[in-house]
Amino acid sequence: MTTELSEQKRIQLEERMSRRDHENESVLVSMGLSTEQSATLELSDSATEVTLDNKPQICRTCLGRGVYKPMFFEMDCPDCYGTGYRLDDPVSLIKWQKMCMDWSRKRILKLQNDLRIATTTEEERMAEDIENMYRHSKINKHD
């Protein structure tokens, strides 16, 4: 009984997926890329180590601005898709952007902590920490 039910669910899911694929265009088509272009895209294993200092090269078309101005209006750069960087090695670009985000997150947390230390006394921080600990450990009686 359960195997028949699971088989029916699988068939329904496959039908929904094929209907969805038939009714909606792919992401590649919506971006104006063909499937042949994506097949020729080679993802390197980043022979050069990605660090915050070795910033990717800027796009030659938009000169790193991410926008292209053909006449009287601006649009996303057709070569870099608005990133401002060359997309020769997209994996290293993504790794570099992730490193920048991680660095920014750590920097913001450190500055928040420094601000908290500069604006409060040690007793106030201790009382606030104790209050936070108890607030998160309290059991709601209505549950």
Side-chain angles (χ1 to χ4, degrees), residues 12-132:
Q12 287 175 349
L13 180 62
E14 287 175 355
E15 289 173 356
R16 284 179 45 206
M17 287 172 31
S18 66
R19 191 169 46 248
R20 178 205 61 203
D21 292 343
H22 180 68
E23 293 172 356
N24 300 311
E25 65 182 4
S26 73
V27 174
L28 292 174
V29 172
S30 68
M31 292 179 67
L33 300 172
S34 67
T35 54
E36 291 81 27
Q37 287 175 330
S38 66
T40 59
L41 178 66
E42 295 179 12
L43 299 178
S44 68
D45 291 333
S46 292
T48 60
E49 186 64 29
V50 178
T51 64
L52 285 174
D53 297 329
N54 67 347
K55 188 175 178 179
Q57 295 179 350
I58 62 171
C59 176
R60 294 179 189 153
T61 305
C62 66
L63 301 175
R65 289 187 22 217
V67 292
Y68 173 72
K69 189 172 183 178
M71 198 60 139
F72 300 107
F73 58 93
E74 286 186 348
M75 57 186 258
D76 283 345
C77 177
D79 291 340
C80 68
Y81 298 101
T83 61
Y85 298 103
R86 292 181 58 194
L87 299 177
D88 296 340
D89 189 7
V91 173
S92 65
L93 177 65
I94 292 168
K95 286 180 179 180
W96 179 77
Q97 287 177 334
K98 183 182 180 311
M99 271 187 185
C100 289
M101 292 297 294
D102 291 343
W103 177 85
S104 299
R105 188 178 300 113
K106 288 176 186 174
R107 180 78 174 142
I108 288 170
L109 291 174
K110 182 187 179 320
L111 290 173
Q112 283 177 340
N113 189 37
D114 291 347
L115 180 63
R116 180 178 177 240
I117 290 172
T119 58
T120 59
T121 64
E122 187 166 344
E123 291 83 24
E124 291 172 332
R125 289 191 302 272
M126 183 70 77
E128 185 180 326
D129 290 342
I130 291 171
E131 182 182 333
N132 285 335

